[in-house]
Amino acid sequence: MTTSDTGPTAGPAAERAALVRAVAEQHVDARGPLLPILHDLTEDLGHLEAEDLALVADVLNVSRAEVHGVVSFYHDFRTTPPAEHRVVLCRGEACQAVGAQELYELTRERRAELGRDVEVEQVFCLGNCALGPSGTVDGRLHGRLDASALTRLTAGWRR
Amino acid sequence: MTTVYVPGDAAACSVGADDVAAALAAAGADVRRNGSRGLLWAEPLVEVVTEAGRVGYANVTADQAADLLAGQVPPSSGSDWWRSTPGWRASNA
């Protein structure tokens, strides 16, 4: 497959395709190039689209199915644009033993109250088990979370 | 200048150690960031260097910083049984 087979030759889609191809080609000679490529693309673009994955497969000379398999296996690789803000709550056993389940359900319910464009997701263990319920708020780790702590940590999102 | 140790590891920072360190620095302490001693339930666990060794203060909050440096906070006081142990020390320097 040549570049001209993969979509428009001008405009944002073509720019994106060129970036994806460039990133993939940077890593193509590495051992196990797929994960570094996906990490870099996620960092640059925020999420991965089907067209991106087809290009990566093309550069690495692997099937699209193989790339899709890796992307869908790891939850931190996303195929939809991320929300403006992100709360990720731990639902591992240690946090669950100190109320993470209730906190997760409550936070999901009041997601709209936290801000206009907020995602509430779950994760299974952040390694902060002694200080549960744990979670990340826009990527920063917090322990001993409860509803009021989340309200305080997200205060800036409602201004 | 009083030297204080405030853990800088992920667990301590997840319960406000960065804010405590900043507040202690603003209150005039010489703040050193160390690793946690593993007493994660006591984080932020601030150790203050005294002539008798380091004295540990558990679950310190940023708004306690000035009082702590002024000796207004009793070491390791609080509701938990282990924190009410008089003169509990995290270590000797």
Side-chain angles (χ1 to χ4, degrees):
Chain A
M1 198 196 292
T2 61
T3 314
S4 59
D5 296 330
T6 57
T9 52
E15 268 174 41
R16 184 178 175 111
L19 187 142
V20 171
R21 190 168 278 279
V23 168
E25 282 170 352
Q26 266 173 30
H27 294 284
V28 70
D29 294 325
R31 274 181 75 181
L34 182 51
L35 283 175
I37 290 170
L38 296 175
H39 279 293
D40 284 1
L41 289 177
T42 300
E43 193 164 307
D44 290 345
L45 301 170
H47 74 289
L48 304 162
E49 290 181 355
E51 294 78 11
D52 305 337
L53 304 186
L55 278 170
V56 171
D58 179 49
V59 172
L60 298 184
N61 195 26
V62 298
S63 70
R64 293 185 190 191
E66 193 161 331
V67 177
H68 172 81
V70 172
V71 168
S72 56
F73 181 81
Y74 294 105
H75 293 180
D76 282 349
F77 292 135
R78 48 186 310 143
T79 53
T80 54
E84 190 183 356
H85 296 293
R86 191 165 154 83
V87 175
V88 184
L89 296 174
C90 178
R91 298 192 62 204
E93 287 84 347
C95 287
Q96 190 143 321
V98 288
Q101 170 102 16
E102 293 79 2
L103 181 65
Y104 175 74
E105 285 166 4
L106 179 71
T107 310
R108 294 278 289 191
E109 279 170 29
R110 58 189 289 262
R111 183 174 60 86
E113 293 169 33
L114 297 178
R116 274 192 303 275
D117 188 18
V118 179
E119 276 178 336
V120 177
E121 297 296 333
Q122 59 183 355
V123 65
F124 291 84
C125 201
L126 294 161
N128 202 28
C129 308
L131 293 172
S134 298
T136 63
V137 176
D138 277 351
R140 193 185 155 94
L141 178 67
H142 293 278
R144 296 187 189 128
L145 283 175
D146 56 23
S148 65
L150 280 174
T151 302
R152 181 169 44 76
L153 291 167
T154 59
W157 300 354
R158 295 182 287 279
R159 281 188 201 121
Chain B
M1 186 187 279
T2 312
T3 300
V4 299
Y5 288 82
V6 184
D9 61 289
C13 291
S14 81
V15 287
D18 286 341
D19 295 340
V20 171
L24 286 166
D30 172 20
V31 178
R32 315 261 175 102
R33 303 304 295 270
N34 57 351
S36 171
R37 293 187 178 275
L39 305 174
L40 299 183
W41 68 90
E43 296 294 353
L45 173 58
V46 174
E47 291 173 62
V48 178
V49 176
T50 70
E51 283 177 9
R54 294 192 197 175
V55 179
Y57 296 82
N59 301 122
V60 176
T61 58
D63 53 17
Q64 286 180 309
D67 286 347
L68 191 147
L69 292 177
Q72 299 297 308
V73 178
S76 320
S77 67
S79 54
D80 294 346
W81 64 268
W82 68 273
R83 286 197 284 151
S84 62
T85 308
W88 178 87
R89 286 168 202 283
S91 77
N92 290 309

